[in-house]
Amino acid sequence: MIRIAIQTKGRLNEQSVSLLRDAGINIEENKRKFLTKAGGFPLEVLYLRDDDIPQSVAMGAADIGIVGMNEVAEKGFDVEIVKKLGFGGCRISLAVPKTERYESVEYFNGKRIATSYPNILSRFFEERGVKAEIHNIAGSVEIAPAAGIADAIFDIVSSGGTLVSNGLVEVERVFESEAVLIANKELSAEKRELLETLLFRIEAVLVSSGKKYLLMNLPEEAIKEAIEILPAMRSPTLMPLAQPGWYSLHSVVEERELWDKVDRLKKIGAEGILVLSVDKLIV
Ligand code: ATP
Ligand code: MG
């Protein structure tokens, strides 16, 4: 049995649950308790605030966890970063009132900066030789300059809309974050093996995301060009049709390239093009 800590509610909860589901693990959401046993895998799910996940994994209350890299870096607990998960992307940036003239990071010398990430910020300032006053604030950091309690802020930015509506402008991107799978550094052999199995499944889910399975009928003379358009894992699969001179061609493509490839395949004579979603891709 292995225990995973995930966020109870918030920005990472839904995608953490669906990643586990896609990996074949059943989590009963409506009967949510602090700790639940999953189906389909020897796994227990511990629901926590994201702030508490790095510590719970470091101390062994949970064996593994899904949390933002920002929380891992801020809290500083010694955990293993097993895998970047490709969701929950954001950055932590310094922002100043838009009326300020900003040229370089020296601007922050002697300034008061409001943040919920004092450790990441003080490491950044130390590296750059900046001496500023860091104010640790738990709530709405972005209103601190207008309220007169800080000169600048260091906060999570994703689209930048919140900054604009508070009259702030982003001046330094300091830390890039995404959700990661973390693990306790001293897992037993049994738990390590369960982690490997889970990781194998998670990787299959991540690799398949954004991919489409494409099949079509193709006249023999177009095969060479089609293979150039569709480089697949080894090469596309080719099967003869009952009608002489025609083949069925199968391949996996990136979704963002799908329409471009379909247009080019039609031009060389592809017919009956079928696009299917890829559920898992085991490489
Ligand atoms: P909790 O109640 O669990 O402490 P929270 O309010 O601290 O929740 P959320 O706002 O749910 O946290 O964000 C969780 C994580 O989602 C962040 O730590 C960060 O890694 C990631 N994230 C991605 N985009 C954003 C964003 N625009 N704002 C805040 N966090 C974001
Ligand atoms: Mg939190």
Side-chain angles (χ1 to χ4, degrees):
M1 184 71 73
I2 191 165
R3 185 182 290 177
I4 188 167
I6 64 172
Q7 195 188 21
T8 316
K9 58 176 178 1
R11 285 192 163 86
L12 301 180
N13 165 268
E14 210 170 289
Q15 277 163 295
S16 303
V17 170
S18 61
L19 178 63
L20 293 175
R21 287 217 173 115
D22 292 344
I25 295 162
N26 300 319
I27 300 172
E28 282 186 42
E29 271 212 284
N30 43 6
K31 284 192 240 150
R32 234 190 227 173
K33 292 176 243 152
F34 178 60
L35 185 66
T36 59
K37 208 173 156 311
F41 201 81
L43 180 103
E44 284 175 321
V45 183
L46 179 65
Y47 295 97
L48 295 176
R49 290 198 54 187
D50 70 340
D51 313 58
D52 298 330
I53 293 175
Q55 182 174 17
S56 75
V57 170
M59 305 294 188
D63 302 307
I64 57 178
I66 296 177
V67 67
M69 195 55 216
N70 53 321
E71 289 299 326
V72 178
E74 176 60 26
K75 299 296 189 297
F77 289 102
D78 193 22
V79 293
E80 182 191 342
I81 312 288
V82 180
K83 178 94 195 159
K84 291 185 177 177
L85 299 175
F87 62 88
C90 59
R91 57 188 188 268
I92 317 181
S93 294
L94 280 157
V96 303
K98 65 171 191 281
T99 48
E100 288 294 294
R101 233 173 80 98
Y102 182 87
E103 269 160 11
S104 78
V105 77
E106 271 115 64
Y107 168 92
F108 293 104
N109 274 309
K111 295 281 199 297
R112 298 164 305 164
I113 297 131
T115 186
S116 317
Y117 295 93
N119 293 323
I120 295 175
L121 183 59
S122 63
R123 258 177 265 147
F124 173 74
F125 280 158
E126 229 159 79
E127 277 165 25
R128 303 299 182 95
V130 172
K131 296 233 176 321
E133 243 181 72
I134 299 174
H135 292 256
N136 190 2
I137 293 188
S140 304
V141 167
E142 66 281 359
I143 60 164
I149 53 175
D151 304 303
I153 66 162
F154 178 60
D155 202 9
I156 291 191
V157 180
S158 50
S159 68
T162 312
L163 292 182
V164 172
S165 57
N166 285 284
L168 299 167
V169 48
E170 181 178 15
V171 292
E172 298 284 342
R173 296 180 174 202
V174 174
F175 191 87
E176 297 286 338
S177 182
E178 69 182 271
V180 287
L181 178 68
I182 58 172
N184 181 280
K185 285 197 162 168
E186 278 144 29
L187 292 182
S188 66
E190 179 219 354
K191 287 180 175 178
R192 178 62 54 185
E193 203 178 316
L194 288 172
L195 171 59
E196 292 304 324
T197 309
L198 179 64
L199 187 61
F200 176 79
R201 294 192 188 185
I202 286 177
E203 278 167 352
V205 174
L206 296 180
V207 170
S208 72
S209 82
K211 293 213 164 44
K212 294 285 168 192
Y213 192 85
L214 199 59
L215 47 157
M216 73 211 71
N217 295 335
L218 206 65
E220 191 161 10
E221 60 274 15
I223 289 171
K224 199 168 158 275
E225 245 183 298
I227 290 176
E228 276 161 25
I229 297 170
L230 291 171
M233 275 187 279
R234 289 194 194 276
S235 65
T237 307
L238 202 56
M239 286 179 281
L241 296 184
Q243 187 183 344
W246 280 81
Y247 288 82
S248 167
L249 184 80
H250 300 205
S251 186
V252 173
V253 300
E254 293 286 342
E255 189 167 11
R256 61 186 151 76
E257 298 174 341
L258 178 72
W259 289 110
D260 172 58
K261 300 216 167 191
V262 165
D263 290 343
R264 289 163 65 195
L265 290 162
K266 276 174 64 188
K267 278 195 193 118
I268 63 167
E271 288 178 5
I273 301 174
L274 191 60
V275 181
L276 304 172
S277 22
V278 177
D279 195 21
K280 310 279 186 303
L281 185 62
I282 298 165
V283 287

